[in-house]
């Protein structure tokens, strides 16, 4: 597991995760899975698409989670 990816939901964070925090976690995940810190030019497009897909899935997950009996958050992120 990627030990550098932090938990992005309360109570681990005092506030909801920012888009920057979500993207950073997605980037770490894709780096770990692909084995590349920075992809070669011929892999850049697929690498970047994977980061975006993981970030979107993460945002969707965080938006839908119910934490300690509280209702799910209302989506606040604009679709990219």
């Amino acid at each position: 597991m990627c030990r550098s990816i932090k938990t992005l939901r309360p109570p681990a964070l005092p506030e909801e995760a920012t888009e920057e925090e979500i993207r950073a976690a997605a980037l770490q995940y894709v780096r770990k899975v692909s084995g590349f810190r920075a992809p070669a030019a011929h892999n850049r497009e697929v690498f970047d698409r994977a980061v975006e897909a993981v970030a979107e899935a993460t945002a969707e997950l965080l938006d839908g989670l119910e934490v300690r009996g509280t209702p799910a958050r209302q989506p606040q992120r604009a679709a990219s």
Side-chain angles (χ1 to χ4, degrees):
M1 187 62 192
C2 298
R3 297 186 198 286
S4 60
I5 297 176
K6 64 183 180 178
T7 301
L8 296 179
R9 63 165 181 80
L13 289 181
E15 300 175 353
E16 70 180 58
T18 65
E19 287 184 37
E20 184 177 304
E21 290 170 319
I22 291 171
R23 188 169 193 298
L27 178 59
Q28 287 299 318
Y29 176 80
V30 172
R31 284 176 173 169
K32 182 69 170 186
V33 170
S34 70
F36 295 112
R37 175 153 170 60
H42 62 277
N43 287 325
R44 170 59 62 188
E45 185 178 340
V46 70
F47 188 92
D48 289 344
R49 279 196 322 259
V51 171
E52 290 308 313
V54 171
E56 287 178 23
T58 301
E60 183 179 330
L61 170 68
L62 292 174
D63 286 341
L65 286 176
E66 293 184 24
V67 180
R68 295 187 182 179
T70 60
R73 297 184 324 195
Q74 297 300 314
Q76 297 179 356
R77 291 179 187 80
S80 306

